[in-house]
């Protein structure tokens, strides 16, 4: 099912979903590195440490805030690991479905961008009833920016309760937390795009 939708965001009552397993404790840190001050084993049998095993990606969010572009990786889940669930997921809430795309910076996993939407199934069609975006450009200890006057063009919206594919573009304003409109002080022009596979997340139902 391909739907093309262009909607203005309504003020939703959804809290920011932070990426599970991000930052310290993700298991994505480098493994096998030689500690500072120690030399690697000498001899013909010495081998360089194996590279870290990074989690695969399932999509990407790109944001441009006042012209400054950032790329946010959407990480795939690790089967059986509740701390490494898919970063793009659909969850059931009765007749409603919650879509969550959670991107993180490859250089600093505490820097995040989250795009969420609430959808209602009407036969074979999906209607987006609300949508929101949050950006942590400096990580969890820095300011949080909220999308205001957000418009999303969904060029691909192929979803059912088991997952699917999404793709689109967005425009609006990135504003300090608590701002009411895009004309408030501190708001900056926001635009960008997203594309991702989507998994089903039983944990957040």
């Amino acid at each position: 099912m391909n739907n093309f939708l262009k909607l203005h965001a309504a003020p939703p009552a959804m809290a920011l979903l932070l990426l599970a397993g991000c930052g310290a404790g993700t298991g994505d840190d480098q493994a096998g590195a030689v500690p500072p001050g120690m030399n690697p084993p000498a001899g013909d049998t010495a081998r360089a440490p194996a590279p870290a095993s990074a989690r695969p990606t399932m999509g990407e969010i790109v944001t441009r805030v006042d012209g400054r572009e950032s790329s946010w990786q959407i990480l795939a889940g690790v089967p059986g690991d509740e701390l490494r669930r898919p970063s793009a997921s659909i969850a059931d809430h009765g007749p409603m479905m919650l879509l969550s795309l959670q991107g993180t910076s490859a250089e600093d996993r505490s820097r995040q961008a989250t795009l969420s939407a609430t959808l209602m199934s009407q036969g074979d069609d999906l209607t987006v009833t609300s949508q929101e975006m949050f950006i942590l450009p400096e990580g969890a200890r820095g300011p949080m920016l909220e999308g205001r006057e957000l418009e999303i063009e969904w060029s691909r919206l192929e979803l059912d309760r088991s997952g699917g594919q999404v793709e689109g573009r967005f425009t609006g304003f990135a504003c300090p937390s608590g701002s009411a409109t895009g004309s408030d002080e501190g708001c900056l022009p926001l635009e960008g795009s997203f594309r991702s596979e989507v998994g089903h997340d039983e944990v957040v139902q």
Side-chain angles (χ1 to χ4, degrees):
M1 168 179 60
N2 272 328
N3 294 324
F4 183 86
L5 301 170
K6 182 175 181 180
L7 302 112
H8 291 271
M14 293 184 292
L16 170 65
L17 301 176
L18 295 178
L19 177 66
C22 70
T26 62
D28 295 328
D29 299 332
Q30 287 191 343
V34 178
M38 292 185 62
N39 295 321
D44 295 337
T45 60
R47 293 182 296 175
S53 56
R55 285 172 60 181
T57 61
M58 59 195 302
E60 180 185 34
I61 300 172
V62 176
T63 60
R64 284 180 291 278
V65 178
D66 199 25
R68 181 178 180 180
E69 182 170 308
S70 299
S71 175
W72 312 91
Q73 296 180 343
I74 300 175
L75 302 179
V78 175
D81 189 338
E82 292 189 1
L83 296 179
R84 298 183 182 181
R85 303 193 297 271
S87 296
S89 61
I90 194 81
D92 299 342
H93 293 275
M96 311 293 288
M97 293 189 293
L98 174 63
L99 170 67
S100 176
L101 306 180
Q102 302 168 330
T104 61
S105 168
E107 293 78 23
D108 180 357
R109 292 300 184 197
S110 71
R111 296 179 56 225
Q112 303 176 23
T114 301
L115 180 64
S116 301
T118 302
L119 307 100
M120 177 176 287
S121 178
Q122 297 179 325
D124 293 333
D125 297 324
L126 288 173
T127 300
V128 179
T129 62
S130 64
Q131 55 205 16
E132 60 185 357
M133 187 166 199
F134 297 94
I135 305 173
L136 295 173
E138 300 175 17
R141 296 185 179 181
M144 181 175 71
L145 302 179
E146 301 181 19
R148 287 289 177 260
E149 300 177 26
L150 191 65
E151 295 185 4
I152 300 181
E153 295 183 359
W154 301 80
S155 56
R156 189 174 190 182
L157 185 59
E158 301 174 358
L159 291 172
D160 57 30
R161 298 185 185 279
S162 62
Q165 302 270 348
V166 293
E167 185 173 354
R169 305 187 64 82
F170 53 86
T171 58
F173 295 90
C175 298
S177 180
S179 300
T181 69
S183 60
D184 286 356
E185 183 179 357
C187 292
L188 298 170
L190 167 69
E191 63 177 347
S193 61
F194 59 91
R195 56 171 179 78
S196 186
E197 300 176 39
V198 178
H200 182 260
D201 194 347
E202 298 180 355
V203 177
V204 299
Q205 288 191 62

